[in-house]
Amino acid sequence: MVYEKFWSENPLIAKNKTEIWKLEKDGLKIFDDIPHYAANGFDSIPKEKWDMFKWAGLYLQRPKEAGYWMMRVVIPGGILTYDQQITLANIAKDYGRDVYDITTRQAIQFHWLTIEQVPDILNRLEKAGMTTAGACGDITRNIIGNALAGIDPDELFDTREVLYDVFEYFRLNEDYSNLPRKYKMSISANIHNASNAEINCVSFNPATKVIDGVTEVGFHVKVGGGLSSVPMLAEELDLFILPEKTVEVAAAITTIFRDFGYREKRHRSRLKFLVADWGPEQFKEKLLEYTGPLPEKGESAVKGWNAGYFYGIHKQKQDGMNYVGVNIPVGRLNPDEVIEFAELAKKYGNGEIRNCNSQNLIIPNVPDAKLEELKQESIFERFPYQPKKFIGYSVSCTGIEYCNLALVETKNRMRTISESLDKEIDLDVPVRMHMVGCPNNCGQRAIAEIGLQGIKMKNQDKKMVEAFEIYVGGTLNEGGKFNEKLKGKVEAEQLHHVLKEIILFFKETKLLSETFLDF
Ligand code: SF4
């Protein structure tokens, strides 16, 4: 059998259980098995198969033995139609105990699902043109895009078609469904780096180049970024990619990761470790072996960084049309609220909603003539388009509520603290705060101005309690810099008080308009 030959040639990998089962059976084949397990119940699923469900976007939530699943749905570039929103809202209502979360990769997560419910959910998603394949597992994950693609007055070009082409190429493609580990891509021509290019495994970023006397628009490519417990910033390759070459280049980079990426140890199996060892020059040379000659870099079109925030009412590139950026505190909605937004988007726009990687959303395509009436809608009292300076810029991962790896509670805590700070401190600039429940960094702690990472520690009474490490100064401006840890740890109960002290000190000593980052 093919995997026996592979093991004999790769004895180190043969010790890695995940690599063994991935060779025995492709992860995407779990879709074939789901009807059987759904008919026979959770107890019919062998424990060693639990991880395989990730390829269908399913993780067991905590505690695993209870048999409830988290499901992540792929939303390429974060763009949802009206029908898709209604489908998602009804799934959350019918099966997901009314929880609907927007993730930091523009995707959607449900909780509390049972295996018996999954076939109907997958069926509903398929009918609405959505999938969970590629949402989790060692495969190309949801592709981040410019949340303003096609309506952005500043974008270099509309990237929707390219992004969908790349998504379709990798979707259910078994040539690329056994990668060393998760693999994150972004494709955006937003000139303010709204896709967080430097923290993706691969990012396609806006650039121009004069070729044969003609100024062409296209991409520069960065590789090897990623967070987790060893955050790394992506490195730029000396290449210019025309939009029509994007699928080919993405496929070649993914082939390199598949065939040369490390597989022995799970924590070293991300593309960033290969890029760190090879360097961008060697990586580029290998890439050219697959693609043939490609032009060298042109001019980057990126100017500064917008971390996915589009609040307020803004003119689109289309005359007489507007988009409205709305705050969804820590990305959580209930299904009735999702339906309310969908109906609003239909009444005032074209029914579309765009998910942002800041866990917020955008209502696009609102004509000038409807703006005043839209602004009177009561939903904006709960979900403002001009949010306050703390809750509007707070991000949180799932945390101990559902996540098996979490050490602390995050979502409710982040929301409560931020809303309290908004009542207590009037600040002229926002402060970007990200909370994560463990070092895995799903809530992108490392790029926050104030990053809060959950830990467990013994308090003065020698009791094990929830606590936080505090990091300051993260940014993706000018190539990026991860935040740095402050000395000490803070008990969770003291976190609000400590943050208040830090921010009051900042407020009292800062210059007008000076941000926390520049402080
Ligand atoms: Fe879970 Fe940790 Fe990721 Fe939060 S950062 S969702 S706690 S794995």
Side-chain angles (χ1 to χ4, degrees):
M1 292 170 82
V2 63
Y3 56 87
E4 282 169 351
K5 178 171 179 290
F6 187 87
W7 294 345
S8 64
E9 289 169 0
N10 299 275
L12 287 174
I13 297 175
K15 290 182 184 161
N16 178 331
K17 280 187 191 157
T18 306
E19 287 302 326
I20 292 170
W21 74 250
K22 285 197 299 181
L23 281 170
E24 288 171 339
K25 184 168 180 172
D26 187 89
L28 288 172
K29 293 277 191 290
I30 193 65
F31 282 104
D32 301 338
D33 298 342
I34 283 176
H36 166 79
Y37 293 129
N40 293 283
F42 179 68
D43 290 341
S44 69
I45 306 172
K47 229 175 184 177
E48 60 275 14
K49 293 251 175 173
W50 286 355
D51 274 353
M52 200 174 174
F53 281 76
K54 290 180 188 170
W55 274 251
L58 289 157
Y59 278 90
L60 275 169
Q61 64 188 49
R62 103 192 253 128
K64 289 184 179 180
E65 290 69 23
Y68 289 107
W69 301 85
M70 180 280 281
M71 175 185 275
R72 192 177 295 147
V73 183
V74 170
I75 315 288
I79 300 177
L80 284 166
T81 64
Y82 171 82
D83 289 344
Q84 289 174 336
Q85 293 162 66
I86 299 295
T87 299
L88 292 168
N90 284 332
I91 292 170
K93 198 187 274 267
D94 295 345
Y95 299 125
R97 298 195 188 178
D98 288 350
V99 181
Y100 177 103
D101 284 337
I102 305 173
T103 76
T104 52
R105 291 192 66 79
Q106 299 176 307
I108 294 296
Q109 282 180 189
F110 301 121
H111 296 279
W112 295 113
L113 311 182
T114 63
I115 191 65
E116 289 85 351
Q117 297 163 345
V118 170
D120 182 48
I121 294 171
L122 293 178
N123 191 27
R124 292 190 196 190
L125 291 172
E126 194 182 343
K127 277 190 188 152
M130 290 181 283
T131 183
T132 59
C136 313
D138 299 350
I139 194 166
T140 305
R141 300 289 188 90
N142 195 39
I143 303 175
I144 294 268
N146 176 10
L148 298 179
I151 62 170
D152 183 350
D154 297 324
E155 71 184 345
L156 191 62
F157 61 101
D158 182 354
T159 41
R160 284 176 296 182
E161 194 181 331
V162 174
L163 189 145
Y164 288 134
D165 285 349
V166 175
F167 164 69
E168 281 301 331
Y169 180 81
F170 286 104
R171 188 170 72 98
L172 298 174
N173 185 338
E174 290 191 12
D175 287 344
Y176 298 101
S177 54
N178 178 3
L179 301 178
R181 261 201 74 195
K182 58 186 167 186
Y183 178 64
K184 301 180 175 182
M185 204 183 291
S186 69
I187 300 173
S188 162
N190 178 290
I191 64 167
H192 302 117
N193 188 17
S195 57
N196 295 344
E198 291 78 11
I199 59 169
N200 280 278
C201 301
V202 183
S203 62
F204 291 87
N205 310 301
T208 58
K209 184 171 173 90
V210 178
I211 299 175
D212 299 331
V214 178
T215 301
E216 302 280 1
V217 296
F219 298 111
H220 284 170
V221 186
K222 292 189 178 190
V223 292
L227 295 179
S228 300
S229 52
V230 185
M232 291 190 199
L233 294 164
E235 304 225 37
E236 193 157 80
L237 303 179
D238 185 9
L239 294 172
F240 176 79
I241 313 298
L242 287 165
E244 58 267 29
K245 298 286 274 184
T246 313
V247 172
E248 185 187 345
V249 172
I253 293 172
T254 313
T255 303
I256 294 171
F257 179 46
R258 182 192 67 194
D259 296 348
F260 297 92
Y262 307 135
R263 290 177 183 258
E264 290 87 350
K265 294 178 182 148
R266 294 287 290 166
H267 66 274
R268 289 247 323 149
S269 297
R270 299 286 303 276
L271 180 66
K272 61 189 176 183
F273 292 102
L274 183 68
V275 173
D277 286 350
W278 280 12
E281 264 312 303
Q282 185 183 340
F283 197 95
K284 174 189 154 182
E285 291 313 312
K286 179 56 78 180
L287 177 60
L288 294 179
E289 286 177 22
Y290 292 84
T291 60
L294 291 168
E296 292 178 351
K297 270 197 310 192
E299 287 288 317
S300 170
V302 175
K303 300 182 179 100
W305 178 46
N306 170 350
Y309 293 102
F310 304 99
Y311 294 138
I313 298 171
H314 304 274
K315 294 278 171 211
Q316 293 184 188
K317 66 161 65 163
Q318 295 83 6
D319 274 350
M321 299 296 263
N322 307 271
Y323 67 87
V324 185
V326 183
N327 176 225
I328 308 300
V330 295
R332 179 157 291 175
L333 290 165
N334 68 43
D336 290 335
E337 291 162 346
V338 177
I339 292 170
E340 233 180 311
F341 272 115
E343 297 299 343
L344 210 69
K346 194 177 184 184
K347 182 174 173 192
Y348 295 99
N350 64 343
E352 236 180 49
I353 288 281
R354 311 277 186 101
N355 289 346
C356 307
N357 50 358
S358 55
Q359 302 179 310
N360 297 298
L361 58 78
I362 294 167
I363 306 167
N365 298 312
V366 181
D368 289 344
K370 290 186 176 176
L371 261 186
E372 281 314 309
E373 194 188 339
L374 172 68
K375 280 154 75 176
Q376 306 312 317
E377 291 284 353
S378 62
I379 198 167
F380 298 124
E381 288 161 23
R382 285 167 289 144
F383 301 100
Y385 53 83
Q386 283 166 335
K388 298 204 167 130
K389 300 292 190 290
F390 294 101
I391 191 63
Y393 297 84
S394 290
V395 169
S396 172
C397 78
T398 302
I400 212 163
E401 201 180 356
Y402 304 116
C403 175
N404 281 290
L405 302 173
L407 301 168
V408 304
E409 202 279 317
T410 53
K411 261 202 197 293
N412 291 328
R413 178 174 279 140
M414 182 79 266
R415 182 171 186 166
T416 307
I417 290 176
S418 297
E419 287 176 342
S420 299
L421 290 172
D422 275 320
K423 286 186 190 132
E424 293 158 348
I425 306 174
D426 187 19
L427 211 56
D428 63 335
V429 290
V431 179
R432 290 185 302 102
M433 292 196 291
H434 291 218
M435 184 177 279
V436 291
C438 81
N440 281 320
N441 237 322
C442 306
Q444 303 172 343
R445 183 274 295 159
I447 61 169
E449 285 176 299
I450 299 182
L452 305 163
Q453 183 168 310
I455 55 167
K456 282 274 199 290
M457 73 169 200
K458 278 193 178 157
N459 68 5
Q460 283 180 333
D461 304 329
K462 305 264 181 273
K463 270 194 187 154
M464 202 55 96
V465 292
E466 294 193 356
F468 283 86
E469 293 171 342
I470 300 182
Y471 295 71
V472 293
T475 179
L476 290 182
N477 252 326
E478 295 169 11
K481 178 175 92 64
F482 293 130
N483 48 27
E484 290 175 20
K485 190 161 87 171
L486 297 181
K487 271 192 185 162
K489 302 160 191 170
V490 179
E491 260 191 68
E493 282 186 4
Q494 295 298 316
L495 186 62
H496 173 207
H497 172 71
V498 171
L499 287 171
K500 188 174 166 185
E501 291 299 311
I502 291 172
I503 290 160
L504 281 174
F505 176 72
F506 164 59
K507 178 177 173 168
E508 281 157 18
T509 45
K510 79 188 220 40
L511 303 171
L512 190 66
S513 302
E514 190 177 19
T515 65
F516 193 84
L517 189 71
D518 298 329
F519 182 58

